Amino acid sequence: MSKDNYKLVAQNKKATFDYFIEERYETGITLVGTEVKSVRMGKVSIKESYVQVDKNGEVIIIGMHISPYEKGNIFNKDPLRTRKLLMHRAEINKLVGKVKTAGYTLVPLKVYLKGSLVKVEIGLARGKKNYDKRQDIQKKDQRREAERDYKVKNLY
């Protein structure tokens, strides 16, 4: 993916801290015109959102907040409404099987613009335990300390 047609709009950094991401999927999303304009302006949040497969076999994202467009007046929709994600049937069936049997969950990782399209990257994730999170924090601290030492050495 080249940098000129890719623009990151929102990222869920907490997802990588709370979950082991096994697989990643790029999906489309059904939006109304004013929502697309808000996404292009970067007024979207996926921090408290999650993904699930409903009883009709459709993948939906719940809790994704897209701020109303200022000039949209009557065409604005509810900022927290559920939105349908666009995936192939085979991918959906694979996800349903893994979520039901292996104890995985689906989390949105990022929202971005790919050309003129709005895309959502979702991850098939397994929850981390507290000791896993502590190990991640230790690794980050060690890396930061090593970078700090390297920076100090290069100053002299």
Side-chain angles (χ1 to χ4, degrees):
M1 192 177 332
S2 65
K3 283 283 185 191
D4 55 338
N5 68 353
Y6 172 85
K7 179 187 173 195
L8 185 64
V9 178
Q11 189 170 11
N12 189 356
K13 293 181 182 177
K14 192 132 175 77
T16 56
F17 182 72
D18 289 337
Y19 300 100
F20 292 113
I21 307 299
E22 304 286 325
E23 295 179 30
R24 296 171 185 261
Y25 295 94
E26 180 182 76
T27 66
I29 185 169
T30 56
L31 296 173
V32 181
T34 55
E35 290 177 328
V36 174
K37 290 182 179 188
S38 286
V39 169
R40 288 191 185 284
M41 291 169 45
K43 298 190 175 186
V44 60
S45 171
I46 56 173
K47 285 183 181 165
E48 298 294 322
S49 63
Y50 59 97
V51 178
Q52 71 181 32
V53 181
D54 67 355
K55 59 183 175 267
N56 299 332
E58 296 177 340
V59 181
I60 56 174
I61 187 166
I62 300 169
M64 178 178 174
H65 186 277
I66 298 178
S67 297
Y69 185 59
E70 295 99 28
K71 300 171 187 162
N73 56 38
I74 62 169
F75 299 108
N76 282 330
K77 301 289 183 192
D78 178 32
L80 289 172
R81 72 183 182 94
T82 60
R83 296 168 178 89
K84 181 179 171 186
L85 296 178
L86 307 171
M87 295 180 77
H88 292 285
R89 176 60 49 197
E91 287 180 323
I92 294 172
N93 292 340
K94 181 180 172 185
L95 287 177
V96 168
K98 287 198 175 183
V99 167
K100 283 187 178 177
T101 59
Y104 288 100
T105 186
L106 297 171
V107 292
L109 300 173
K110 53 179 136 173
V111 177
Y112 55 94
L113 297 169
K114 187 175 180 183
S116 62
L117 304 174
V118 178
K119 298 288 185 177
V120 178
E121 183 177 282
I122 63 172
L124 186 65
R126 198 168 25 96
K128 285 185 181 179
K129 305 284 187 228
N130 280 337
Y131 57 84
D132 292 328
K133 293 178 188 178
R134 283 194 291 267
Q135 288 174 353
D136 284 352
I137 291 170
Q138 275 181 336
K139 286 179 186 175
K140 282 183 188 176
D141 289 343
Q142 288 172 351
R143 193 193 70 220
R144 254 191 240 121
E145 198 171 304
E147 287 175 358
R148 194 178 306 123
D149 291 343
Y150 180 73
K151 198 177 206 179
V152 169
K153 286 179 186 176
N154 283 342
L155 289 176
Y156 296 109

